[in-house]
């Protein structure tokens, strides 16, 4: 045990050979020459401890003429090794920042059984949601939490003393969106088919998804309570899609249930356990955690918040993690009942706060022993992502020059980055924007995510020629300055309709001369004073620009607008002030708003007519 933090000494996930320092190591191990990159004749000779001229001679005999500085291909290196009595092996070195590609080989003695991770799929209205609710609220193992409201989209149930993890996202889009990002989290799919409706298009789609992911299916024939329920018909229809029930010699287990009447649920769960046992699902709890993001959002009070599924290893609170291309320290880890956990073993879903940015569902995560390592790797991943996205530079950097481009007659691409307060609204904005595509304009939403507008968004916009849209979120003063320097257009809107209308107008070349927000400055709330009959006064430090008593304000918490209104009074000490400049303290009372928090940013702005460029 590591006494200081009470954690076990765990195995790390990145082998020493993958750390950058040790990359490209070629070595003779006994009689095997292991190489990681192509070598020159001279280099190979040195490694094999032979004379370069001997290699040149051998190749000459094969009518290959080389000099000491020529690079040899892998096959030739292999041939030479064999000639000199060595076996050979080419090892691919994966960069440490591509950690999801690193093959983790646990020793059999380190592996422990882990709970199965189950996803429910099926045609619309066949009863997925009802089944998920029935399972969640079932009290099979007299577990004390049955029925208590749930905080995250994944949960565990104890059945016959064993845990099963359920992922709550019914619908195939979530499943395939995860898969398209290289994430596979599900061990078993429960395919819900309504007994009175049979196999339908989305049933077939679900079968295809499960097969593509090589995940076994358990069929739950639902609605067995309705008159006319015909399970045999369902079983026969499924056979046409290569889902063969056990009783017909196949390997698919079938349960008959009524999700609504809560019948057959226990048997279904027991079937899941049987399937899980056959799959021999195992993991090594004694290594740093690896897993996948199931969902993520920007919480107004707590900042970036993600539901992580630990797939191998154990995640401890206060571990350092790289998640997607962000990182952080696990500040608090809770289960679906909001209970605080100190550790999360394999197959446990947990809600985590402490990340620097909001990751995406399907992102991989890995825990690291030190903050420095986590930070370095996250930075490299971020850079890599930006470089990959850079390729798609559009040349349209402002909505105003969009119409000019369109008028040039060519198909115009426009790249947009959407940041919003929730993943849901980010996706809604993305979907609405992409609907505007026509044969003249193609809108590519190159990033849509929950969270404040960050420096990384500005970098990406710069690299790919994109416009940033903030939907109910804002950049910090620092990020705004950076965007100005880089000439990146940041637009903000609070209603989807207005945002879409604005882009539509830009496409048609009919953008109105509009009023825009002119940011005056920002102040950070250091103290909150509650004064009876008056309300809350925010004791602030002006950190940027100035605050005017006539200004309009946004109250920002973690970059999200939590309130918009006007200043009621602005004071320096006891006196009313017309304006307070950067570096000075002031008291701000916001009209009709009494929920200001310490750490909030009050952003002062006024509406002005937009100048022509
Ligand atoms: P989903 O679209 O697959 O998530 O389906 P829902 O769970 O929303 O269910 C669709 C409809 O079927 C709802 O009206 C449910 O009440 C009903 N339903 C679900 N399970 C059963 C069942 O076992 N028996 C009956 N009779 N109705 C059910």
């Amino acid at each position: 045990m590591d006494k200081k933090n009470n954690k076990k000494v765990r195995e790390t996930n990145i082998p020493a050979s993958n750390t950058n320092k040790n990359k490209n190591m070629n070595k003779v191990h006994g009689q095997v020459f292991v190489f990681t990159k192509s070598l020159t004749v001279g280099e190979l000779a040195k490694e094999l401890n032979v004379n370069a001229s001997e290699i040149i001679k051998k190749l000459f005999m094969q009518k290959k003429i080389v000099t000491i500085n020529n690079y040899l291909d892998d096959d030739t290196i292999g041939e030479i090794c064999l000639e000199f009595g060595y076996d050979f092996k080419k090892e691919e070195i994966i960069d440490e920042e591509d950690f999801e590609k690193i093959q983790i080989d646990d020793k059999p003695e380190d592996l422990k059984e882990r709970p199965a991770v189950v996803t429910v799929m099926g045609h619309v209205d066949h009863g997925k949601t009802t089944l998920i609710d029935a399972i969640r609220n079932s009290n099979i193992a007299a577990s004390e939490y049955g029925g208590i409201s749930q905080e995250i989209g994944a949960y565990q149930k104890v059945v016959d003393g064993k845990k099963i993890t359920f992922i709550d996202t019914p619908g195939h889009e979530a499943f395939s969106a995860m898969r398209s990002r290289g994430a596979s989290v599900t061990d078993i799919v429960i395919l819900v088919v309504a007994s009175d409706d049979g196999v339908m298009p989305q049933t077939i789609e679900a079968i295809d998804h499960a097969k593509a992911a090589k995940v076994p299916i358990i069929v739950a024939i639902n609605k067995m309570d309705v008159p006319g329920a015909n399970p045999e018909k369902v079983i026969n229809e499924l056979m046409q899609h290569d889902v063969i029930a056990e009783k017909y010699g196949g390997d698919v287990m079938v349960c008959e249930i009524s999700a609504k009447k809560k019948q057959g649920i226990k048997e279904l769960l027991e079937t899941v356990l049987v399937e899980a046992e056959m799959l021999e699902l195992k993991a090594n709890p004694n290594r740093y955690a690896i897993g996948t993001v199931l969902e993520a959002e920007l919480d107004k009070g707590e900042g970036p918040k993600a539901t992580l599924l630990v797939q191998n290893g154990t995640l401890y609170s206060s571990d350092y993690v790289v998640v997607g291309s962000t990182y952080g320290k696990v500040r608090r880890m809770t289960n679906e009942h909001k209970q605080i956990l100190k550790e999360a073993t394999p197959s446990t879903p947990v809600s985590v706060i402490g990340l620097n940015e909001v990751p995406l569902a399907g992102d991989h995560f890995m825990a690291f022993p030190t903050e420095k390592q986590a930070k370095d790797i996250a930075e490299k991943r971020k850079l890599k992502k930006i470089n990959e996205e850079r390729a798609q530079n559009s040349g349209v950097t402002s909505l105003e020059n969009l119409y000019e481009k369109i008028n040039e007659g060519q198909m115009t691409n426009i790249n947009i980055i959407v940041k919003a307060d929730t993943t849901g609204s980010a996706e809604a904005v993305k979907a609405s924007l992409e609907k505007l595509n026509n044969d003249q304009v193609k809108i590519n939403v190159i990033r849509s995510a929950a969270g404040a507008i960050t420096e990384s968004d500005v970098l990406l916009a710069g690299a790919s020629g994109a416009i940033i849209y903030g939907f109910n979120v804002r950049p910090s003063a620092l990020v705004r300055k950076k965007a100005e320097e880089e000439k990146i257009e940041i637009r903000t809107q609070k209603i989807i309709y207005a945002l879409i209308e604005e882009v539509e107008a830009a496409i048609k070349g009919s953008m109105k001369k509009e009023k825009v927000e002119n940011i005056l400055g920002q102040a950070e709330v250091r103290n909150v004073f509650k004064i009876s009959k008056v309300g809350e006064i925010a004791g602030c430090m002006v950190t940027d620009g100035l605050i005017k008593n006539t200004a309009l304000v946004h109250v920002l918490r973690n970059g999200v607008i939590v309130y918009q209104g006007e200043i009621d009074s602005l004071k320096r000490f006891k006196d009313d002030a017309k304006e307070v400049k950067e570096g000075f303290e002031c008291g701000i009372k916001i009209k009709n708003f009494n929920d200001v928090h310490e750490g909030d940013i009050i952003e002062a702005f006024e509406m002005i007519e937009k100048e022509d460029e």
Side-chain angles (χ1 to χ4, degrees):
M1 294 278 254
D2 174 347
K3 286 242 172 60
K4 206 170 95 210
N5 52 18
N6 220 20
K7 288 179 200 165
K8 281 194 185 145
V9 176
R10 286 169 287 167
E11 234 172 282
T12 53
N13 294 312
I14 296 185
S17 58
N18 288 84
T19 56
N20 285 343
K21 189 163 77 214
N22 293 327
K23 260 169 48 177
N24 298 332
M25 291 278 283
N26 304 302
K27 252 202 176 69
V28 173
H29 294 283
Q31 278 310 101
V32 186
F33 176 61
V34 181
F35 64 104
T36 57
K37 57 166 193 161
S38 65
L39 301 164
T40 63
V41 172
E43 285 166 343
L44 181 61
K46 201 164 151 214
E47 296 292 345
L48 299 182
N49 202 15
V50 296
N51 217 316
S53 61
E54 287 180 72
I55 295 181
I56 294 171
K57 203 156 79 194
K58 285 211 191 279
L59 290 172
F60 183 75
M61 307 292 271
Q62 296 175 16
K63 301 200 168 60
K64 290 181 190 160
I65 297 175
V66 294
T67 69
I68 193 162
N69 292 322
N70 280 141
Y71 276 97
L72 299 173
D73 61 31
D74 294 353
D75 289 344
T76 313
I77 293 176
E79 274 170 38
I80 307 272
C81 286
L82 294 175
E83 289 270 353
F84 287 100
Y86 289 98
D87 220 335
F88 65 93
K89 190 171 150 202
K90 170 101 194 243
E91 245 177 30
E92 202 187 337
I93 290 288
I94 295 164
D95 292 329
E96 57 183 353
E97 59 270 26
D98 286 333
F99 58 64
E100 45 274 88
K101 292 194 191 137
I102 292 175
Q103 175 87 28
I104 298 222
D105 291 318
D106 284 306
K107 294 193 211 93
E109 64 267 29
D110 293 337
L111 291 170
K112 299 259 157 35
E113 201 180 312
R114 67 166 176 85
V117 179
V118 178
T119 303
V120 177
M121 301 215 274
H123 193 70
V124 62
D125 277 351
H126 280 197
K128 295 179 294 293
T129 316
T130 314
L131 174 62
I132 286 172
D133 287 346
I135 295 172
R136 188 192 298 151
N137 297 326
S138 64
N139 224 340
I140 290 148
S143 110
E144 53 276 56
Y145 311 121
I148 291 179
S149 77
Q150 184 179 325
E151 288 296 317
I152 58 179
Y155 59 99
Q156 289 192 311
K157 270 278 151 191
V158 181
V159 182
D160 297 342
K162 291 196 166 172
K163 283 182 183 162
I164 304 175
T165 303
F166 287 91
I167 297 181
D168 243 14
T169 45
H172 308 160
E173 270 157 35
F175 187 83
S176 48
M178 294 267 243
R179 283 224 325 126
S180 73
R181 316 205 59 241
S184 58
V185 295
T186 306
D187 299 309
I188 297 170
V189 165
I190 294 182
L191 179 65
V192 178
V193 191
S195 64
D196 56 347
D197 204 17
V199 171
M200 286 286 139
Q202 284 167 292
T203 318
I204 300 169
E205 218 180 273
I207 295 171
D208 293 343
H209 281 307
K211 288 204 164 152
K214 297 196 174 62
V215 175
I217 292 173
I218 294 175
V219 174
I221 303 182
N222 190 29
K223 308 200 187 182
M224 283 303 291
D225 58 300
V226 297
N230 190 349
E232 274 310 306
K233 181 170 163 270
V234 173
I235 290 175
N236 277 317
E237 286 172 353
L238 285 170
M239 270 208 269
Q240 293 163 24
H241 299 279
D242 246 356
V243 176
I244 321 265
E246 274 183 326
K247 71 172 181 188
Y248 291 111
D251 56 1
V252 176
M253 292 190 264
V254 178
C255 295
E256 294 178 7
I257 64 165
S258 165
K260 196 169 171 183
K261 301 232 150 103
K262 302 193 171 39
Q263 285 160 1
I265 307 297
K266 180 157 198 278
E267 290 73 14
L268 175 64
L269 297 182
E270 283 167 351
T271 306
V272 170
L273 288 183
V274 173
E275 185 75 62
E277 200 159 318
M278 289 196 294
L279 293 173
E280 294 186 34
L281 304 166
K282 288 185 173 164
N284 173 7
N286 199 18
R287 66 161 58 253
Y288 280 86
I290 310 167
T292 301
V293 177
L294 297 179
E295 57 191 5
E297 59 167 357
L298 183 69
D299 186 284
K300 280 187 180 160
E302 298 183 314
K305 196 172 184 181
T307 303
L308 307 180
L309 177 73
V310 177
Q311 293 178 284
N312 200 356
T314 300
L315 184 67
Y316 287 84
S317 61
S318 79
D319 267 355
Y320 299 104
V321 280
V322 175
V323 186
S325 50
T326 186
Y327 80 104
K329 181 177 179 165
V330 176
R331 276 210 338 258
R332 201 193 60 215
M333 190 157 79
T334 46
N335 67 7
E336 64 270 28
H337 308 294
K338 258 193 161 169
Q339 292 166 311
I340 293 189
L341 301 185
K342 284 230 159 55
E343 56 177 74
T345 47
S347 297
T348 309
V350 281
S351 169
V352 156
I353 57 166
L355 303 177
N356 292 333
E357 284 176 45
V358 184
L360 296 172
D363 273 346
H364 297 266
F365 79 86
M366 187 179 269
F368 291 90
T370 64
E371 181 171 17
K372 182 177 181 309
Q373 202 181 358
K375 188 171 174 214
D376 285 355
I377 289 181
E379 273 165 9
K380 281 187 202 146
R381 284 169 74 89
K382 195 169 278 176
L383 207 67
K384 203 165 207 165
K385 197 163 146 202
I386 289 171
N387 283 337
E388 280 164 12
E389 288 161 329
R390 188 184 299 249
Q392 333 168 333
N393 200 323
S394 69
V396 176
T397 50
S398 129
L399 275 192
E400 262 118 69
N401 74 16
L402 175 63
Y403 186 64
E404 283 167 34
K405 284 263 176 186
I406 296 173
N407 256 355
E408 285 167 15
Q410 281 166 359
M411 172 80 183
T412 306
N413 275 299
I414 162 166
N415 290 341
I416 296 185
I417 294 173
V418 175
K419 294 303 284 287
D421 47 352
T422 65
T423 312
S425 43
E427 264 153 29
V429 171
K430 175 176 190 270
S432 313
L433 280 172
E434 286 175 348
K435 280 205 192 105
L436 298 178
N437 285 342
N438 59 29
D439 49 10
Q440 289 179 307
V441 187
K442 179 162 187 314
I443 296 176
N444 309 309
V445 177
I446 57 172
R447 175 180 286 173
S448 84
I453 298 167
T454 63
E455 195 172 342
S456 127
D457 298 321
V458 173
L459 286 175
L460 175 60
S464 46
I467 295 164
I468 302 177
Y469 254 112
F471 183 73
N472 278 324
V473 293
R474 321 274 309 169
S476 67
L478 218 66
V479 172
R480 188 158 35 82
K481 283 209 177 103
K482 174 103 190 159
E484 275 162 20
E485 273 165 36
E486 307 266 325
K487 304 214 165 20
I488 306 296
E489 183 166 77
I490 298 184
R491 291 182 162 259
T492 51
Q493 283 289 358
K494 296 176 195 94
I495 325 171
I496 294 193
Y497 178 70
L499 191 158
I500 301 305
E501 217 177 41
E502 185 173 86
V503 178
E504 217 169 4
I507 292 173
K508 291 197 196 119
S510 59
M511 262 175 95
K512 286 189 218 88
K513 201 168 188 164
E514 38 161 1
K515 286 207 158 181
V516 291
E517 289 173 3
N518 178 41
I519 309 293
L520 299 169
Q522 289 192 340
E524 194 185 303
V525 179
R526 300 271 164 94
N527 289 300
V528 179
F529 305 98
K530 290 191 169 53
I531 298 173
S532 58
K533 293 203 189 110
V534 177
E536 279 183 2
I537 308 281
C540 299
M541 167 62 86
V542 182
T543 50
D544 177 64
L546 56 86
I547 308 288
K548 277 189 190 169
N549 66 348
T550 52
L552 299 166
V553 288
H554 293 127
V555 180
L556 309 176
R557 199 165 294 155
N558 291 313
V560 179
I561 300 174
V562 293
Y563 186 75
Q564 178 176 327
E566 42 189 297
I567 292 185
D568 210 359
S569 70
L570 176 71
K571 290 195 192 260
R572 281 275 301 147
F573 302 105
K574 293 223 149 23
D575 305 326
D576 282 325
K578 278 217 162 72
E579 58 177 56
V580 180
K581 290 207 172 77
E582 183 176 332
F584 291 95
E585 289 179 334
C586 62
I588 300 175
K589 164 87 188 82
I590 298 168
K591 208 179 243 176
N592 302 327
F593 184 64
N594 285 312
D595 184 32
V596 78
H597 289 197
E598 240 175 68
D600 284 353
I601 301 290
I602 296 178
E603 180 175 75
F605 66 99
E606 48 192 19
M607 299 303 289
I608 56 163
E609 286 262 299
K610 193 169 183 341
E611 297 279 319
D612 281 329
E613 302 278 317

